[in-house]
Amino acid sequence: ASDVYKRQISDSLSIGYENLTSEFETSAKGDEESDAITVGYNLGGLGVSVMYVESDNIAGGATAQDTQEELQIRTVYKF
C-alpha cells in the first residue's frame, strides 16, 4: 500500500510525503515500512531537491540492523 501527498507551495517551492508498506506472505515477517519527505526548490536555471527516507523492518526483519535512514541532495541544471 502507498500513500502519496504532494503540494506545490509556490512557483519555486514544492513539498511531498510518501508512506509505503510492503506486506510479506509469511506471517513470521513484519511489514516493511518506508516514509519519505521531499522538498524541492527551483532557482530558475538551477533546481535543488532534498529527500529524507526512513525504512523499518527491511526484508521483513525486526532488528536494529533492519532499519535504515537516508538523506539525498540533488541538483538539476537547465540550459
Side-chain angles (χ1 to χ4, degrees):
S2 179
D3 295 316
V4 178
Y5 304 97
K6 295 181 182 181
R7 176 78 61 199
Q8 186 167 346
I9 304 300
S10 69
D11 288 342
S12 300
L13 180 65
S14 62
I15 60 172
Y17 170 78
E18 181 175 0
N19 175 274
L20 177 66
T21 302
S22 299
E23 298 177 1
F24 294 94
E25 291 186 19
T26 60
S27 61
K29 292 187 175 186
D31 294 345
E32 182 175 328
E33 297 180 10
S34 296
D35 291 305
I37 298 171
T38 306
V39 177
Y41 193 77
N42 184 350
L43 300 162
L46 172 68
V48 178
S49 69
V50 177
M51 180 171 60
Y52 173 77
V53 179
E54 181 178 292
S55 300
D56 293 321
N57 302 331
I58 297 174
T63 66
Q65 291 84 7
D66 299 318
T67 298
Q68 180 178 355
E69 295 179 37
E70 180 179 339
L71 178 67
Q72 181 181 67
I73 301 171
R74 297 184 328 167
T75 58
V76 178
Y77 301 95
K78 297 179 184 177
F79 294 97

